[in-house]
Amino acid sequence: MAATFALVLTACKTPQVAAPTAPPPEPVAKGPTDEPTKELPKDLFPAMPIYPGAAIEHVRTPKGAMREIMFSSDATMPQMVAYYKDELKKNDYHITSSLIMPARRTWSCDFQYNGRPGSVMLYPSDQDKTKMTIDLIYELPAHIDASMVEPKEDFDIEGPGEVAQQAPNPNPSEKQKRN
């Protein structure tokens, strides 16, 4: 009986096959990625004020419909706040909200330009507390598919036309009175 049991046990044991393994996950970029160049993108607002002497630190690749550009400056926060408030108004940007926190040396300003929202944030640099970071975030311009746009119709009509020149009916019917 022991021999039978050993035979059954041996028959039940099948060689173990290695479970299929999934390929290792592809490395995912952590945090925002930068553009290959530090030049101002062409999709930036046409008259966006940039603080004089500010150096471009990062031009982020667009994330969805938004882009971020980070600058650094040696200027003080009050100087930069005054500059952005004046220049945004001069260039027809509509400021929707503004918040200053002097104790934290931060300022944020949300604005719109031709229906496109954006914001400017000022705060001390993480690397050098004597410098200020200017963080500009804005919506990219919409890409309109020309094939989906209906053609504009221009009519070449002059004056009020014949209908407007007809004399009013001296005895209008009830239906004509209602219309």
Side-chain angles (χ1 to χ4, degrees):
M1 185 144 137
T4 308
F5 181 70
L7 185 61
V8 170
L9 241 167
T10 316
C12 288
K13 287 187 180 179
T14 56
Q16 291 196 359
V17 179
T21 58
E26 301 218 5
V28 178
K30 294 181 181 180
T33 57
D34 288 350
E35 292 282 354
T37 178
K38 286 188 177 183
E39 292 180 18
L40 288 177
K42 292 180 181 176
D43 56 29
L44 182 61
F45 298 109
M48 181 66 206
I50 305 296
Y51 193 80
I56 299 172
E57 297 294 328
H58 302 279
V59 177
R60 306 285 193 210
T61 55
K63 186 170 187 170
M66 303 300 283
R67 183 189 293 275
E68 179 179 28
I69 304 172
M70 298 180 83
F71 304 85
S72 65
S73 175
D74 293 330
T76 65
M77 189 182 73
Q79 291 171 326
M80 291 193 294
V81 168
Y83 172 82
Y84 277 105
K85 281 182 176 180
D86 291 344
E87 291 299 313
L88 288 170
K89 287 178 185 174
K90 278 184 200 174
N91 292 307
D92 295 327
Y93 287 81
H94 175 69
I95 296 175
T96 56
S97 69
S98 177
L99 175 65
I100 191 164
M101 292 186 275
R104 292 190 174 176
R105 294 181 43 210
T106 61
W107 178 72
S108 67
C109 175
D110 296 331
F111 59 85
Q112 285 193 359
Y113 184 77
N114 288 336
R116 288 174 51 202
S119 69
V120 174
M121 292 175 275
L122 307 175
Y123 53 89
S125 170
D126 291 335
Q127 289 78 25
D128 183 355
K129 297 296 181 192
T130 63
K131 292 188 176 216
M132 293 294 287
T133 298
I134 304 166
D135 191 353
L136 170 64
I137 300 173
Y138 62 94
E139 183 179 65
L140 299 170
H143 294 287
I144 299 173
D145 183 359
S147 67
M148 300 300 288
V149 177
E150 292 195 25
K152 183 179 176 190
E153 295 181 10
D154 290 325
F155 297 100
D156 189 22
I157 298 176
E158 293 182 23
E162 291 180 30
V163 174
Q165 294 175 356
Q166 291 179 352
N169 186 354
N171 300 320
S173 67
E174 285 298 317
K175 185 177 179 183
Q176 289 173 328
K177 286 180 186 177
R178 287 186 297 227
N179 291 334

